[in-house]
Amino acid sequence: MPKPREGHFTVMEREFEQGLWKVDNERSALLFVREAPHQKVKDGPKRLAKYMDATINGLLDPEAQGLLSNLKSRLYTTSQNNLNLHGVELNKGSIDPKRKEHIQYLDSICEQFVSQMKARIEAAVDFPAGVGQRKIWGGIEEEKEAMSEWMIEEVGRHVAMSAELCKGLHGREGLLGKLCLAMWESTNVQHRPLVVHGTAGMGKTALLCKLAQEMRGVLDAGGMVVIRLLSACHPQRPDIDHVLYSVCLQICLACGLSPPSPLTANTHLELLRFFGNILNEVSQQGKTLLIILDALDVLSDQHYAYKLRWLPTNIPPNIHLVVSMDTNSEAFANMRLKLETLESFFEVERLSHDEGKQIMESSLRASQRTLTPEQSHAVLQSFESTGCPLHLKLILSAARRWTSFTPLTELHLGANTQEMMTQLFLMLEKKHGKELVGATLGYIALAREGLLEAELRDIMSLDDEVIREVYKQSLPPTPSLIRLPPHLWARLRRDLEDQLEERWTAGVATISFNNRRLAEAVATRYLTSQRRGRSLQILAEYFMGRWSGKLKPVALLGLSLLLSDRKVPPQPLWFAPGLANVRKLQELPYHLLHAGLWEELRQEVIGNAEWLYCKSRVCGVSSIIRDLDQCSQYMDCTETTLIRDTLVLIKPSLDFLHGHMDMSLFYTELLARLSTLATTFPAVIGQLCKQCEDWLLMYSEPILIPKCSFLQQPGGALQYTLRGLQGGVLCVDISVELGLLVAGSDDGGVAVWSLNDQQLIHSLVGHTAAVLSVKVIHRSSHCLSLAADGSLRRWSLLSGQQLICIQEAIPVGSAPLSVHLHLCEQRQVLRVSTRTQVKVWKLDGAELCSSISDEGLVVLGVLEDSVVFLSDYGLVRISNSVDGTPTVETQLEKKRRHLIVVNSVMLPKRGKVILVSKEGFLYQISKAGKQTAIEFPLLPSLLSVTEDEKILLAGSELTLSLFKIDGDSVDRFLNLHHDDDILSACISSDCRLLVSGAADHLIRVWSVTTGALLDTLCGSDAPVTSLVLYRGFLVSASTAVASIQMWNLKYDTQHKPTAHIPSSCAYVAITKDTDRIFYVQQPSQMEVLSWNNLTGSVSERLPVSAEVSCLELAQNKRLLLCGLISGTVLIYPLAVLQETLCIPPPESLARVLCLAVSPQEKHLAVGYEDSVGLFEITSRDSFPAVEGPLQRFPLSLLHSPMSSMALLSNRRLLYGTSCGEVKLYDFNSRSTSDLDPHRSRVTCVTVSNWGTHVLVGSEDAVQRLWALNPLALDHTMEYKGFFFEGVLSAAFSDNDQFVFTGSQDRTIKVWDVATGNLLYVQYVYSPIVRMVTFRNGFVALSQQGFVIREAFHCPDRVSPDYNPLRNIKAQYRVTSREKNRDSPQTSMSDLQDFNPAQFNLNLMSVLRSRPSATCVIL
């Protein structure tokens, strides 16, 4: 260690000072000292010269030896805690790995280094209490890092970058002044956002940073500036959802407002709504807020962000929004269309000569450099040709390498930015080698989120072309181990310091380019098609860990092939339990896809269940969806699309759980959605399902394993669900030319979607009551909306602005069917008709032209300039719509009495109106007064005509009839049938395809020419009340839900979702092998339908004489039992449904309330309103028969109605009532016992398979498990969840060890019969209305109509730390009786402190304490 001169320090001394002797650094430093105490004389100065300082004469330097002794003394004195001292004798002046003592020395130093390094890493990760903990990067522990900490890091990064960029800004005072003036003038009024634009490299980002700096200095204490430099995320393109969430969170934390919930943050439309609301709230507080969003043109394609639909155009007072973008970008073109005027646009123009000179002088001062006058002149002369700040920055970067004597001919100044980048590349190639430079820059450019420096060195070591160039003059020192020499990267990194930047994110520093233009130039120069493919493959292989611990071949100079270890690390998916390899998750899918390694992509990513879980858990499910979206763009792979759609379906559950979904739950969701598709797509989906099932079978905790698909499946005709309204959809209209859909809801909202990308464009706010009608004005890109608040409004579909508002257009509170909006674009008039009045306006203004009414008459409709009125007595009067003058009067023929119009429809092309009367006639009335009347067999609730007015559609109850209109004749040619009331229908423009929707949520597609049923579309959540066809798609809506669905009528039927029975059936029953389902539909209950679950269709219809009141199945004897309100019980043998048995009603004709079959199916109990009868199930000549009643016992008139019952062994009946009473009746002793009552209606009484227990459940939170021999209450189980309460169905396992319950809260629960403990809770998205024991699990029916088949797997011993509620926000309590030899006792615990909103339960303290036989609380 040489002695430093005065004021001068050597590099080694600086390293010791900073790394070892600086305060607080000693605990993180490792010190290794090697001594050679007894070195032989023959290994003297000559052999050890490379280890010692020598004078010019070759002798040892005594001064250096003294300094070395002092250094050792200081180290031994001050660094005892981290000093590792080794003594070893050298062999010929070096270490010989073959000598025993040298091997021991090397092993010792390696072990010390590894153990001590691990200890320091663990100490850095595990902070002491009170210091605060840092979240492990890639960790999935349940630690809750405060939102504010993440926000401080995010804000701090952008503020720091903003401050750095401000330093080099000179000039632009005029543009800054204009921006400040525009903000000042609009402070107190609603205004538009300000747009800063310019070509690339013109300094838009620096300008906005300066604006933020200036505004922070002038705002008052309550004001705030929010800045996001989106281009700083390059090469990653930020998602608009992340940007908006980040901005909203910062505003909320600064202004003391409630932050967005996880559900809001993960739902695009909710996030947009929250963003708008938060701006209004801050505005109303009177605080000044400036939001700066730089480089909107670099946003990712998520939600088509570049179309800027998310950007508000009306900014409230006190709020300022400034954005920037490239003038040549698509985002700028969309902004021009959005704002329409140029007042809000500010262009960043080229810099002047003087401004460039100021920047140059400032930059040279900062780097402590100067240029000669000639060099300065050359710099400014080159800069003046462009006036571009980026061009000047590149010139100054090159100027730092000049000397004062560098001739002007060697300056190599480019005339523009591109030429300067080319000069930079040429300089680097000349100095470092073309292959090394091209590969290094190429890998940085290709990396998805930058590269760690260690990763870059590893990847360069794997590149054979780079290795060949490095070792083209000589072979590597150790041929069996080849790496890129570290000094080559260090030299190149130094020359690139002005072009690269380090970005610290989540604890790691990645290297990337500091501007986009440079990355684009690198891609153009170096990433040819061949090199790009090779580089992407190397990146993919690196992140797969393909060459870790393996020998990679390379051909070097003079050698044909050399196998060498490149010493690259392994790339496991998990570094440790709960610690994921985030870099692999981020980079691998991208590189596999773009390298064309699609088979590896399917195996490693798409079809890898563990990968899907790991990335969704660590990076969020949205990141996987984006990965799979990219895969679908390049790969023709149906499985990829299906898996992507599956994750979209799972996403709401993950969002609800804050992304903290267990692997078991994630695998269960995948299986429950994809099982049916496994046989159709065995390569990817089949393997994925097998991985999930194999893992679940080996799971060490209780688990329900799906054996079929029972959750909503991906694929099928349903393509998109459009959201944006808050109420049910009353009306829809489509602009085919613009590709826009307009819909109005019952809460007054109007929404506009793009049908091309399925994105919400506008939410039109103004109406205060239900929107009754919407119409698109095709020629002007406008639309009209008419609402029950009486207003008629005109909107621009491009800007979303309200153009006209007409108040009192109709009476307030008008009903939807009583109001009609007629638009005549040729005459440029608008007509609104109610039952009593017609108003006419000019289409281009709010001027009322006329208002027509006729006392005592109702308006049938408007035909061009004529209004058709009708009286109750059949008088038709046709008046002029301009002045109301009657032109024609006529009396309807065949009118027998008071005329009641059932429905009517206008035929404007034929100049007719068609109406149907309740007397059974169809009238055609022309505007000339001509009329015809024919008998009509229907009373249609739905009446419409096709666009060409050749076909009339009439829907009445379950039948849709089609009539051909030919002149005055109307002839029926087709009858189409649904299983429920038909609510809507539409026909394609070529009149070949008809689509109809019904109250049972089903949509059916028919051939108009043949009448054949082409398809049945399942998946609608409500009765289908609106249908519109659009370019091969079908748009459906319902007044009961706020969403609109888009169906692809040309979908691939290979992955059509499994058909199921209609949802919300009145009564259902299912066989245990799930081959048959029997159900009764609402509201008509006069028919039992038999559903074949194998074919997915109704196999038989069983009409009955009265409404059905209950259904039951005798599983083993295969009998369907059907109770009627007339008191009759029908019994259908499943083998021959036509051979019906009948139990006649009692004399009182009391309705049947319940049916129950004994466990051995020997007896049947029938519960009537006033009594209960016991019957025997026998057989005669191998045919089932029913004998009895064997006994009957009456029910008191004061007895509340029976709601559920179970027939036990030994002729005992346990039943519950609608008031919560529970009773046990013994037919043998004719005695009744009262059991503990419930607080509400008893919904479920289920006896175990072996007759030892019975479960009683009710609509409240309580269910009780009773032992039957002797009768005793074993357990009272109380469960309160986030949703509704109450048990609907139950089934015991085949060995009676467990009981499964289906609840109103849409969950299935598994309880231990012996202990009463809750073992598992599974959310299935729909209440379970029926359960049946099957093998080692159960089969069930959900309220939505899905069949559920699951097996229950439970280990022999459940861990005491197991928490069955970790994926469910709920609480439960079990109260059990003391089981002893003397007397059974039951003890209830107090539930006063029960709080269903308290989700985080402290389980450990309860489970670790001594368990109580009386009460276990989880």
Side-chain angles (χ1 to χ4, degrees):
M1 183 175 176
K3 182 179 180 180
R5 298 187 301 271
E6 187 70 25
H8 176 76
F9 297 91
T10 63
V11 174
M12 183 180 295
E13 186 175 2
R14 287 183 184 275
E15 290 179 353
F16 274 104
E17 288 289 346
Q18 295 294 322
L20 188 61
W21 291 322
K22 192 175 181 179
V23 179
D24 295 332
N25 275 13
E26 184 175 346
R27 64 189 179 93
S28 63
L30 290 181
L31 181 61
F32 292 86
V33 176
R34 184 180 69 194
E35 294 278 16
H38 306 295
Q39 195 64 44
K40 297 178 181 178
V41 176
K42 64 179 181 179
D43 292 337
K46 184 175 181 182
R47 191 177 294 276
L48 302 177
K50 60 182 176 181
Y51 300 111
M52 301 179 179
D53 291 302
T55 63
I56 194 170
N57 300 323
L59 301 176
L60 292 179
D61 186 346
E63 184 181 8
Q65 292 298 309
L67 290 173
L68 180 60
S69 298
N70 294 335
L71 173 63
K72 288 181 179 181
S73 299
R74 184 176 179 186
L75 292 175
Y76 296 158
T77 303
T78 62
S79 304
Q80 289 292 330
N81 294 334
N82 57 349
L83 175 64
N84 296 276
L85 183 61
H86 292 268
V88 64
E89 299 293 339
L90 301 181
N91 180 34
K92 297 181 181 180
S94 63
I95 294 293
D96 184 0
K98 296 180 180 180
R99 292 175 63 93
K100 181 179 179 180
E101 58 270 25
H102 288 184
I103 294 174
Q104 293 174 347
Y105 159 70
L106 293 174
D107 289 343
S108 174
I109 198 171
C110 290
E111 289 175 4
Q112 285 181 344
F113 177 81
V114 171
S115 64
Q116 294 178 29
M117 204 66 187
K118 281 184 176 179
R120 279 158 175 76
I121 292 173
E122 290 172 357
V125 171
D126 300 327
F127 279 80
V131 178
Q133 288 193 342
R134 276 179 11 200
K135 186 174 181 179
I136 300 176
W137 191 50
I140 64 169
E141 285 75 17
E142 297 298 329
E143 59 202 38
K144 303 280 187 177
E145 185 177 10
M147 242 186 290
S148 58
E149 292 182 9
W150 171 79
M151 180 48 52
I152 289 171
E153 180 183 350
E154 173 96 353
V155 173
R157 185 167 64 250
H158 287 280
V159 170
M161 288 187 292
S162 173
E164 184 65 26
L165 290 171
C166 284
K167 294 178 181 178
L169 182 68
H170 294 274
R172 308 293 193 195
E173 289 82 3
L175 186 54
L176 281 171
K178 291 179 181 178
L179 288 168
C180 293
L181 179 62
M183 287 190 288
W184 179 77
E185 290 177 343
S186 61
T187 296
N188 298 320
V189 296
Q190 195 176 66
H191 54 276
R192 301 297 180 89
L194 303 181
V195 182
V196 176
H197 65 98
T199 56
M202 278 297 173
K204 299 182 292 295
T205 301
L207 175 72
L208 293 186
C209 294
K210 188 67 174 178
L211 176 65
Q213 186 183 66
E214 295 293 331
M215 291 301 295
R216 287 192 187 97
V218 299
L219 290 179
D220 53 26
M224 64 177 299
V225 177
V226 177
I227 184 168
R228 293 293 181 272
L229 306 178
L230 307 184
S231 59
C233 300
H234 180 80
Q236 185 183 14
R237 298 173 64 192
D239 295 330
I240 183 58
D241 282 355
H242 173 80
V243 174
L244 289 179
Y245 175 66
S246 169
V247 170
C248 289
L249 190 55
Q250 182 180 349
I251 296 172
C252 290
L253 293 176
C255 298
L257 302 174
S258 299
S261 67
L263 285 175
T264 298
N266 289 286
T267 306
H268 180 64
L269 294 180
E270 291 299 322
L271 190 56
L272 291 183
R273 192 174 289 113
F274 185 89
F275 180 56
N277 292 339
I278 212 75
L279 296 185
N280 289 325
E281 286 190 48
V282 176
S283 174
Q284 291 170 6
Q285 290 179 358
K287 297 179 179 179
T288 303
L289 170 64
L290 170 61
I291 302 174
I292 297 176
L293 302 178
D294 173 52
L296 297 187
D297 49 303
V298 305
L299 286 170
S300 71
D301 293 337
Q302 182 195 36
H303 305 302
Y304 300 88
Y306 61 89
K307 294 188 177 181
L308 304 181
R309 293 167 181 159
W310 56 269
L311 189 70
T313 54
N314 292 321
I315 311 299
N318 302 316
I319 310 297
H320 303 285
L321 177 59
V322 183
V323 300
S324 75
M325 60 197 68
D326 194 313
T327 305
N328 300 318
S329 66
E330 188 173 355
F332 180 74
N334 290 320
M335 183 59 95
R336 285 292 306 272
L337 293 173
K338 192 177 183 75
L339 296 185
E340 297 176 349
T341 63
L342 296 177
E343 297 175 356
S344 300
F345 290 86
F346 299 85
E347 184 176 5
V348 181
E349 299 176 340
R350 53 183 291 161
L351 292 171
S352 65
H353 176 276
D354 292 339
E355 290 171 332
K357 185 177 181 180
Q358 285 181 331
I359 294 174
M360 179 185 71
E361 292 172 350
S362 174
S363 175
L364 292 174
R365 278 195 304 270
S367 59
Q368 297 181 348
R369 296 292 304 254
T370 58
L371 296 179
T372 65
E374 294 80 7
Q375 290 172 341
S376 299
H377 178 73
V379 168
L380 294 176
Q381 187 176 16
S382 177
F383 159 73
E384 277 187 289
S385 61
T386 61
C388 176
L390 179 58
H391 182 204
L392 181 58
K393 178 183 177 182
L394 291 171
I395 294 175
L396 295 175
S397 176
R400 293 191 184 97
R401 293 186 289 271
W402 299 343
T403 62
S404 59
F405 50 82
T406 302
L408 296 180
T409 55
E410 296 181 9
L411 297 186
H412 303 299
L413 298 179
N416 53 45
T417 303
Q418 188 60 46
E419 288 187 13
M420 278 306 305
M421 291 180 181
T422 301
Q423 292 296 332
L424 172 65
F425 298 148
L426 289 173
M427 182 274 294
L428 294 173
E429 290 170 10
K430 182 178 179 181
K431 186 174 180 180
H432 303 280
K434 185 173 182 179
E435 195 63 42
L436 179 64
V437 172
T440 303
L441 298 181
Y443 288 127
I444 295 174
L446 287 173
R448 195 176 192 179
E449 298 194 24
L451 288 173
L452 276 67
E453 191 167 340
E455 290 174 346
L456 182 58
R457 293 199 303 266
D458 289 337
I459 293 166
M460 297 286 285
S461 299
L462 289 174
D463 193 325
D464 292 342
E465 297 298 324
V466 173
I467 294 299
R468 271 193 283 268
E469 182 182 75
V470 170
Y471 295 107
K472 66 182 177 182
Q473 301 296 336
S474 62
L475 293 176
T478 309
S480 61
L481 192 158
I482 299 180
R483 293 275 299 176
L484 177 75
H487 70 277
L488 295 183
W489 160 244
R491 291 172 55 214
L492 180 58
R493 172 69 186 270
R494 179 177 177 82
D495 286 339
L496 285 170
E497 62 181 353
D498 290 339
Q499 282 71 43
L500 299 181
E501 66 179 7
E502 278 190 351
R503 295 181 187 153
W504 283 87
T505 306
V508 296
T510 58
I511 300 171
S512 57
F513 298 116
N514 56 19
N515 69 79
R516 285 181 293 152
R517 293 287 297 278
L518 182 60
E520 293 166 0
V522 167
T524 303
R525 182 175 181 85
Y526 296 111
L527 294 179
T528 61
S529 177
Q530 182 178 0
R531 183 193 282 270
R532 176 184 289 271
R534 181 169 60 84
S535 300
L536 286 166
Q537 181 170 348
I538 293 172
L539 283 163
E541 290 176 348
Y542 172 74
F543 285 108
M544 280 194 296
R546 176 167 294 179
W547 298 111
S548 174
K550 298 180 181 178
L551 302 180
K552 190 175 190 292
V554 61
L556 297 181
L557 182 67
L559 297 175
S560 58
L561 195 65
L562 181 64
L563 294 175
S564 60
D565 189 351
R566 307 300 174 89
K567 288 296 180 185
V568 293
Q571 294 286 349
L573 190 57
W574 302 93
F575 289 127
L579 187 62
N581 184 349
V582 181
R583 290 292 300 154
K584 180 173 184 173
L585 296 174
Q586 291 172 337
E587 298 288 339
L588 183 58
Y590 178 84
H591 300 307
L592 286 173
L593 173 65
H594 293 282
L597 302 175
W598 292 352
E599 188 57 38
E600 290 85 347
L601 180 63
R602 292 186 182 95
Q603 297 299 321
E604 295 282 336
V605 177
I606 301 172
N608 188 332
E610 189 176 8
W611 173 283
L612 296 178
Y613 170 73
C614 180
K615 185 153 189 179
S616 68
R617 188 69 173 81
V618 176
C619 304
V621 70
S622 297
S623 65
I624 318 179
I625 294 171
R626 289 194 294 272
D627 286 346
L628 298 181
D629 280 335
Q630 283 195 357
C631 294
S632 299
Q633 293 175 10
Y634 294 91
M635 300 166 56
D636 185 15
C637 180
T638 305
E639 293 100 316
T640 301
T641 303
L642 292 173
I643 294 172
R644 180 259 181 204
D645 292 345
T646 301
L647 294 173
V648 171
L649 294 171
I650 295 176
K651 185 177 181 294
S653 296
L654 282 164
D655 294 342
F656 184 75
L657 294 171
H658 300 187
H660 300 161
M661 180 180 281
D662 282 347
M663 185 178 284
S664 60
L665 181 57
F666 186 80
Y667 284 5
T668 300
E669 287 258 354
L670 287 179
L671 264 183
R673 298 183 189 276
L674 291 173
S675 291
T676 305
L677 300 172
T679 53
T680 308
F681 303 99
V684 178
I685 294 180
Q687 289 300 313
L688 186 64
C689 291
K690 186 177 184 302
Q691 293 170 27
C692 295
E693 190 165 8
D694 290 347
W695 189 91
L696 291 173
L697 287 171
M698 299 299 294
Y699 192 49
S700 61
E701 294 179 348
I703 191 72
L704 282 171
I705 304 176
K707 295 298 182 182
C708 67
S709 296
F710 56 82
L711 301 181
Q712 185 179 345
Q713 296 174 229
L718 182 58
Q719 300 288 300
Y720 310 102
T721 299
L722 309 180
R723 307 184 189 278
L725 294 171
Q726 300 295 306
V729 181
L730 298 183
C731 50
V732 295
D733 196 16
I734 285 179
S735 170
V736 178
E737 294 81 2
L738 297 176
L740 299 179
L741 168 68
V742 185
S745 71
D746 58 13
D747 70 339
V750 179
V752 183
W753 292 270
S754 167
L755 293 176
N756 299 322
D757 54 35
Q758 297 76 47
Q759 297 295 307
L760 179 69
I761 297 178
H762 305 298
S763 292
L764 310 179
V765 180
H767 292 295
T768 58
V771 179
L772 309 178
S773 180
V774 292
K775 289 286 184 182
V776 173
I777 307 174
H778 301 284
R779 294 184 179 181
S780 60
S781 301
H782 294 168
C783 76
L784 300 166
S785 61
L786 182 64
D789 60 5
S791 67
L792 172 65
R793 300 172 191 263
R794 182 169 179 167
W795 313 84
S796 168
L797 293 176
L798 297 180
S799 66
Q801 300 299 309
Q802 178 180 298
L803 305 176
I804 297 174
C805 177
I806 302 173
Q807 299 291 346
E808 299 181 359
I810 59 173
V812 175
S814 298
L817 296 179
S818 66
V819 175
H820 299 279
L821 191 59
H822 309 273
L823 183 63
C824 182
E825 294 191 51
Q826 292 181 344
R827 298 176 179 269
Q828 289 292 294
V829 294
L830 167 67
R831 303 180 181 93
V832 175
S833 63
T834 62
R835 287 184 56 84
T836 59
Q837 190 178 42
V838 176
K839 292 184 177 181
V840 184
W841 289 270
K842 286 290 185 182
L843 193 56
D844 57 354
E847 179 186 355
L848 179 64
C849 298
S850 61
S851 177
I852 306 162
S853 61
D854 204 330
E855 187 176 354
L857 303 179
V858 298
V859 177
L860 277 183
V862 178
L863 296 171
E864 294 183 353
D865 292 335
S866 301
V867 181
V868 183
F869 292 94
L870 177 67
S871 73
D872 292 344
Y873 301 100
L875 175 65
V876 177
R877 179 177 297 162
I878 301 174
S879 304
N880 188 288
S881 63
V882 178
D883 53 14
T885 304
T887 57
V888 177
E889 281 190 6
T890 183
Q891 186 72 33
L892 293 182
E893 302 174 357
K894 300 184 179 182
K895 185 186 72 63
R896 300 173 185 172
R897 55 185 181 274
H898 186 74
L899 181 67
I900 300 176
V901 178
V902 176
N903 215 328
S904 64
V905 64
M906 298 292 110
L907 282 70
K909 293 181 180 178
R910 294 177 180 263
K912 291 182 179 180
V913 58
I914 292 179
L915 66 90
V916 178
S917 68
K918 194 172 183 179
E919 290 85 355
F921 288 95
L922 181 145
Y923 296 93
Q924 295 186 64
I925 307 169
S926 71
K927 64 178 182 179
K930 182 180 177 181
Q931 62 164 297
T932 59
I934 60 173
E935 290 188 1
F936 197 70
L938 303 174
L939 298 179
S941 57
L942 169 68
L943 193 66
S944 63
V945 293
T946 57
E947 188 177 351
D948 58 8
E949 300 180 359
K950 292 182 179 180
I951 298 176
L952 175 70
L953 286 76
S956 178
E957 296 181 344
L958 311 184
T959 303
L960 178 64
S961 299
L962 274 66
F963 298 82
K964 182 178 181 181
I965 304 175
D966 187 5
D968 293 334
S969 65
V970 178
D971 301 317
R972 177 159 52 182
F973 67 92
L974 199 59
N975 277 338
L976 308 174
H977 300 282
H978 271 263
D979 297 325
D980 210 335
D981 288 346
I982 296 171
L983 304 178
S984 56
C986 64
I987 293 183
S988 61
S989 56
D990 58 5
C991 295
R992 294 186 177 184
L993 200 69
L994 182 144
V995 185
S996 55
D1000 59 4
H1001 307 184
L1002 296 180
I1003 299 173
R1004 295 190 172 176
V1005 185
W1006 314 82
S1007 168
V1008 176
T1009 54
T1010 65
L1013 177 62
L1014 303 179
D1015 202 355
T1016 299
L1017 307 180
C1018 304
S1020 180
D1021 299 328
V1024 183
T1025 56
S1026 299
L1027 290 171
V1028 182
L1029 285 166
Y1030 169 78
R1031 294 180 179 174
F1033 283 85
L1034 173 70
V1035 177
S1036 69
S1038 173
T1039 57
V1041 294
S1043 59
I1044 295 177
Q1045 295 175 315
M1046 283 188 68
W1047 312 75
N1048 184 356
L1049 299 182
K1050 300 177 181 178
Y1051 71 101
D1052 185 358
T1053 56
Q1054 190 178 17
H1055 47 83
K1056 180 179 180 179
T1058 305
H1060 57 84
I1061 67 171
S1063 62
S1064 302
C1065 291
Y1067 304 100
V1068 293
I1070 182 171
T1071 59
K1072 62 182 179 181
D1073 56 5
T1074 69
D1075 62 337
R1076 309 273 291 276
I1077 302 170
F1078 300 91
Y1079 64 94
V1080 179
Q1081 287 186 269
Q1082 299 266 26
S1084 173
Q1085 301 177 22
M1086 300 288 291
E1087 186 179 44
V1088 179
L1089 290 89
S1090 174
W1091 177 272
N1092 187 325
N1093 203 37
L1094 301 177
T1095 62
S1097 60
V1098 175
S1099 57
E1100 291 186 75
R1101 299 173 181 271
L1102 308 175
V1104 294
S1105 57
E1107 287 187 13
V1108 177
S1109 56
C1110 55
L1111 280 181
E1112 192 59 67
L1113 266 172
Q1115 296 288 342
N1116 297 323
K1117 294 191 175 180
R1118 306 283 289 178
L1119 298 176
L1120 173 66
L1121 312 172
C1122 177
L1124 307 181
I1125 62 172
S1126 62
T1128 303
V1129 177
L1130 301 176
I1131 303 175
Y1132 301 91
L1134 299 190
V1136 191
L1137 288 174
Q1138 293 76 16
E1139 301 293 333
T1140 308
L1141 304 177
C1142 176
I1143 299 177
E1147 294 181 1
S1148 63
L1149 299 180
R1151 66 183 293 164
V1152 178
L1153 297 179
C1154 301
L1155 295 169
V1157 180
S1158 63
Q1160 294 77 27
E1161 298 185 358
K1162 293 181 179 180
H1163 294 91
L1164 166 67
V1166 181
Y1168 302 97
E1169 288 179 312
D1170 57 0
S1171 64
V1172 178
L1174 181 68
F1175 299 82
E1176 183 179 5
I1177 304 175
T1178 62
S1179 62
R1180 295 178 183 176
D1181 301 327
S1182 301
F1183 194 79
V1186 176
E1187 304 289 344
L1190 305 179
Q1191 282 184 271
R1192 187 187 298 273
F1193 75 90
L1195 298 175
S1196 169
L1197 294 176
L1198 300 177
H1199 191 283
S1200 58
M1202 185 182 294
S1203 57
S1204 184
M1205 70 180 184
L1207 186 59
L1208 314 180
S1209 56
N1210 301 326
R1211 297 190 176 190
R1212 292 184 298 172
L1213 181 74
L1214 184 67
Y1215 65 93
T1217 69
S1218 58
C1219 291
E1221 300 168 298
V1222 181
K1223 297 178 180 291
L1224 178 66
Y1225 181 81
D1226 191 331
F1227 283 100
N1228 296 317
S1229 63
R1230 301 177 184 274
S1231 61
T1232 302
S1233 304
D1234 290 333
L1235 278 66
D1236 292 355
H1238 288 256
R1239 296 191 301 271
S1240 58
R1241 180 176 179 266
V1242 175
T1243 53
C1244 170
V1245 179
T1246 303
V1247 64
S1248 65
N1249 299 299
W1250 299 94
T1252 59
H1253 289 83
V1254 65
L1255 181 84
V1256 181
S1258 64
E1259 290 179 345
D1260 56 25
V1262 178
Q1263 57 194 32
R1264 294 187 173 94
L1265 186 64
W1266 295 84
L1268 296 177
N1269 298 309
L1271 181 65
L1273 176 61
D1274 273 356
H1275 311 291
T1276 299
M1277 296 99 89
E1278 299 171 80
Y1279 181 98
K1280 287 192 175 184
F1282 189 72
F1283 292 111
F1284 314 102
E1285 302 170 2
V1287 178
L1288 297 180
S1289 57
F1292 285 80
S1293 61
D1294 52 1
N1295 59 3
D1296 284 359
Q1297 185 179 356
F1298 311 108
V1299 61
F1300 311 106
T1301 60
S1303 305
Q1304 186 68 32
D1305 63 356
R1306 307 168 193 170
T1307 64
I1308 294 174
K1309 305 177 188 71
V1310 186
W1311 307 82
D1312 190 307
V1313 172
T1315 65
N1317 287 339
L1318 180 64
L1319 297 177
Y1320 190 71
V1321 182
Q1322 181 185 39
Y1323 185 71
V1324 292
Y1325 299 87
S1326 177
I1328 304 302
V1329 295
R1330 179 73 75 162
M1331 302 185 82
V1332 178
T1333 303
F1334 184 64
R1335 295 178 183 171
N1336 59 339
F1338 63 88
V1339 296
L1341 264 177
S1342 71
Q1343 196 173 75
Q1344 290 180 342
F1346 287 101
V1347 174
I1348 300 174
R1349 187 168 68 249
E1350 295 195 275
F1352 182 61
H1353 170 74
C1354 185
D1356 295 333
R1357 182 181 179 276
V1358 179
S1359 168
D1361 296 334
Y1362 172 65
N1363 174 18
L1365 298 177
R1366 61 175 176 264
N1367 292 314
I1368 297 291
K1369 297 181 177 180
Q1371 287 184 327
Y1372 88 95
R1373 181 174 70 177
V1374 176
T1375 306
S1376 302
R1377 68 185 173 97
E1378 289 282 357
K1379 298 180 181 178
N1380 53 46
R1381 298 179 183 178
D1382 300 324
S1383 59
Q1385 297 179 1
T1386 302
S1387 174
M1388 295 293 291
S1389 63
D1390 191 10
L1391 201 62
Q1392 291 179 353
D1393 59 347
F1394 183 84
N1395 180 10
Q1398 179 184 348
F1399 298 145
N1400 297 322
L1401 308 178
N1402 185 1
L1403 304 174
M1404 301 303 297
S1405 60
V1406 176
L1407 293 172
R1408 288 175 180 168
S1409 62
R1410 182 177 179 181
S1412 168
T1414 303
C1415 179
V1416 177
I1417 301 179
L1418 292 181

